[in-house]
Amino acid sequence: MPTLTIQVGQCGNQLGSSILSSLASPSVPSPSSLTPTSLSSSASIPVPPPPSQFFRQTQRGTNVARAVLVDTEPKVVERCLNPLDPSAANFRYSQNNSCIIGAGGAANNWARGYSSPESVLTSTMEKVQSELEKSDYTPAVHILHSCAGGTGSGLGCALTREYNDEHGSKALIFNTIITPFETGEVIVQDYNAALTLSSLNDFSDGVLCIENEVASRACKKLLKIEHPGVKDLNGLIGDSVASIIGDSYTDLQSFNNAANAMQMDDILRHMVPNSYYKMMSLRMVPMMPERSVEFTRDTWESGVVKRLKQMHRCGTPLECDINWRKEEDVGASISNFLVLRGDGGLPRMGDEKRTGILHLERRRRATDNSTAALPTPPPNSKTPPKAASAKKLPPTSDVWSVDCSSFSSPNTNYVDWNNDPFKVTRSHVNFKRYEKMGGLLTNSDSCLKLLERVDNAKVKFDARAYVHQYEAYGVGVDEFEAAFLNLDETRARYRNLSK
Amino acid sequence: MREIVTIQVGQCGNQIGRSFWSRALHEHAANSTYVEFTDDGGDRTGAVFSESMSTFFRNVDMTTKGEMAPGSEIRDLKARACLIDMEDGVLSETMRGPLKDLFTSAQVMSDVSGAGNNWAHGFYEYGGQYGDQFLELVRSQAEPCDSLQSFFLMHSLGGGTGSGLGTKLLELLKDNYDGIYRFATSVLPSSSGEGDDVITSPYNSVLALNQLTEHADAVLPIDNARLSQLSTRISKGAGSGGGGGDHAAGNASAAVKGKKKKSAGKRSEGGAGGGFDEMNNVVARLLTDLTASMRFAGDLNTDLNEITTNLVPFPRMHYLCPSLAPMGPTTHHAHRSNGMNSSVLVKSLFRDCFSPESSLISLGEGCNIRNSSVLACGVFVRGKGIPISDVNSNVARLQSELRMPRWNREGFKIGLCDVNGLDHQSSIMSLCNSEIINSVFEPLTERFYKLYRRKANVHHYTQFCDGGIFDEAIGNLEDLIEEYKGAGMRGSGGGVEGGLPPRGDELIWDVNESGGAGAGAGGKRREVAF
């Protein structure tokens, strides 16, 4: 089932192209696995097709993103559409699917973006409609935007509202938003963020909040980039989002069938069982500089699952902030979704060991010949692909048999009203250069820290500073107060989870 | 894509305009790209009319009179400008001078008699007489725009035309182009009155400020005395060689066009000697730096309308005091910046920019950015390869050291542009919405009352309007002064939180600062010497 991506504003467009290129890029073999033989044969390694959920293939075999690009200025969108853009080597955007809205920009003003004229919204929704018509049924849409500036935040919310009005009964809306640095480049960002969050509470089905601050720390501390630039941040965020939403499967059976890959709407239904709680956050393990990857010989249990669990336990989004002494969850969760990827898709040592690739081959055959899709017997899981290699690996390296019970109740503190709080999906295909990686999407009270930043907006509002700028576009004192109330209620609900 | 229509009014406005256009041309000449064009028969290399040029210029095909879109070859560049004066002199100089090709006679609106240094004459008499013609002129400039972003008004407040007619035009723009931001660059007469040869300039300024407070979206106040100090410093520093400031406008437009033209004309603008030239050049630099981040690529692009959104917390308090650094001549700074690593360089730029030396308004005695409350501040950095992290760390330091109000502790807007300005490899401009503006307003009030107590010259004004306008205008200004004093205290909590005391030699803010007097939390503000 397809998922439509809508990228709005400068940040949304940069992020969108980063996520999609991460989804479309084939896994890169780690340097250690490249022996002369495999190097020479690497040309013949079949590249796995990008997930059909996010891309459609033209007759010529080009992968076209199911995406609509919206911005008020052409610079970023043009870069996305440029076929020479290296980040989009494995896919391209449809040239017709871009919408540049003049009107002088949104001036960092949420209200100005949100109250964009009807004509702007109509023309954008027409583009959306024409992309939707390219497939039978699109059960989910992924809207990407920032919440600091005016275009992404204001227009992004307006488009979410429009989509909800038109398709809300038959499709789910997933918003991924980037929250600004605490001392950002936009003074009114706290207003914009508060208005964005409150509006999405009304119109979205799930909001994944990614903090620029955290991404920047991750770049510095984990990827060892001294002065991370916008590109580095987007690359990191793109990878972590893609690690969650890319194709993954509940069991080996469905992996081999190429059926039942976890879809965006499945994720949303699992993550947001109750529409009062829509805020999600994301953790990913490992994050490390490219040069360190080949020296890593982590096991699934201690290297990935245990670390994710401890991060979740402390409520910290980063590996480097883990407090290993914590033995109980600090907060309560509503739902968790864990994705494990790796240990399969790479060529290793010799051709006959390319089990993962064989899976892919079989999978493709199954897709090509879907009427005669015979269940392929699972490969002998007792002989993991690397067993034959010179390095001795722990026996649990098979992704399908990793024990994730630490995330099940009662090992993790879940609310008592959610019967199915934890889901794990896996994929045998390596994620980019990582041999083993895990991504965790969590709906828990760890979003409270972010919601507390609304208080900054309230302080501004008490002085009535900048309010006149918003009033000019229909967001007056009453609207601000309603938004604050909305967020206060959300906050109170999340705070009460652990009580 | 995002256009600005410039409206230059009066003698001062038009002189600044000349410096500005010459500078804008040079800047684009230095950054233009040349490609092969093979349209009508011959192959030739020509300069491309880029997106960034289209902010200030139109590209017109003179044979068809058609507008050419960005990406085409440069044919005839026309400034998106309205040139207005009620005397003939400066305008006809412009139209004969090296920049003449930038304007058509249809862009010019003039009279012969002048406004006699009388705000009311300009505002009421000429305003009424020329209102419709002006709107027609603006329409002709606004219509070819794809997405008009703002109007740039350049004028002075001390005389009659720029001050009176200029502010009237602002009102007309507000009524007719709602939603398009109005930026005014306003040159105020020297606050001490020293060197000011217009007796009625306090009247004109106060009456004009009254209009600016109501009808502009943002005002960049610049003070004449300060400008002349700065230009003396710059020309002294430059020595007789004057290497940095030699921008013949004709050369520039030829350079932009791909050297199709022979360099025409030397620097003949100014009319009042080198001092004025240098002064106008400073203002021109301010305006090009202000718009650099919307015209050229950079890590943090800043639109003009974003500046208004971020720096104007309350509608009337839209006076953004500008500072530029480095202020010295090119050679001096080039020498200094040699071998500096980026973080040392950025730190020194920040230090210079936030010292009173760099301000374009005269600060009252003992008054500096350090001991006044700062409502919001914009920092716009130009130069290749300046990392955002260096800028952020300096901003973070400022945030803790300036007296920001409780409701705007993080009140910084940052712009980062890759393309450097003409004189410097890297430079920085700041706009401070701060209480320091009172060191311009307060002496002006004083000077106003000196005349008004005796009702001197009032009868010249009452020819055109009701005398009540005087009380209204001065009342409005006094309110504004009070608003600036109290703005930091707004909100429920109240209280401006003081910055930290000066931290030794880490950042030298104010050479005159005596033991950090007045920098304490909620302490008594400075004493202004009139």
Side-chain angles (χ1 to χ4, degrees), chain A residues 10 72-75 78 100-109 112 181-190 226-230 456 459-470 473, chain B residues 1-2 51 147-149 179 181 293-294 296-297 299-301 303 305-306 308-315 375-377 387-390 392 399 406-408 410-414 490-492:
Chain A
Q10 180 175 2
T72 46
E73 55 151 12
K75 278 183 233 160
E78 269 166 14
I100 303 296
I101 298 144
N108 286 165
N109 182 339
R112 196 165 153 142
F181 287 102
E182 266 169 56
T183 56
E185 61 273 15
V186 177
I187 296 178
V188 288
Q189 63 184 22
D190 294 328
E226 206 174 332
H227 297 289
V230 177
N456 295 345
V459 173
K460 259 193 186 65
F461 182 73
D462 284 341
R464 293 295 182 270
Y466 298 101
V467 172
H468 72 283
Q469 315 249 25
Y470 291 77
Y473 295 93
Chain B
M1 181 57 203
R2 309 210 155 170
E51 227 19 275
S147 165
L148 177 59
Q149 190 161 72
Y181 288 104
S293 177
M294 70 179 280
F296 299 111
D299 273 355
L300 280 178
N301 283 343
D303 266 348
N305 56 19
E306 291 174 7
T308 327
T309 305
N310 285 287
L311 298 187
V312 181
F314 305 104
L375 307 186
C377 184
I388 176 77
S389 46
D390 284 338
N392 278 339
Q399 274 163 342
R406 201 176 148 268
W407 45 265
N408 222 10
E410 294 97 30
F412 273 81
K413 167 81 184 166
I414 303 168
R490 288 204 191 196
S492 56

Side-chain angles (χ1 to χ4, degrees), chain B residues 414-489:
Chain B
I414 303 168
L416 208 53
C417 173
D418 278 348
V419 175
N420 58 284
L422 283 179
D423 303 336
H424 305 283
Q425 285 301 312
S426 44
S427 59
I428 171 173
M429 179 201 67
S430 73
L431 294 177
C432 261
N433 193 347
S434 154
E435 198 188 359
I436 57 169
I437 186 64
N438 281 351
S439 56
V440 172
F441 288 164
E442 283 175 343
L444 185 64
T445 320
E446 199 81 349
R447 289 182 62 213
F448 176 90
Y449 277 124
K450 244 181 217 165
L451 291 176
Y452 192 58
R453 259 182 232 114
R454 295 178 283 122
K455 294 282 182 286
N457 298 79
V458 169
H459 63 282
H460 293 302
Y461 290 75
T462 46
Q463 274 179 284
F464 302 100
C465 62
D466 185 81
I469 191 80
F470 280 90
D471 294 316
E472 182 199 313
I474 192 71
N476 197 356
L477 184 59
E478 284 168 337
D479 286 350
L480 189 62
I481 291 173
E482 288 310 312
E483 282 166 39
Y484 264 109
K485 284 180 185 169
M489 254 73 99

Side-chain angles (χ1 to χ4, degrees), chain B residues 225-265:
Chain B
R226 186 73 198 132
L227 269 187
S228 97
Q229 282 172 14
L230 286 173
S231 63
T232 320
R233 213 175 78 197
I234 293 170
S235 38
K236 250 189 208 156
S240 51
D246 187 19
H247 309 300
N251 285 336
S253 81
V256 174
K257 286 184 188 178
K259 299 177 176 76
K260 257 168 40 183
K261 272 188 174 174
K262 283 278 150 271
S263 52

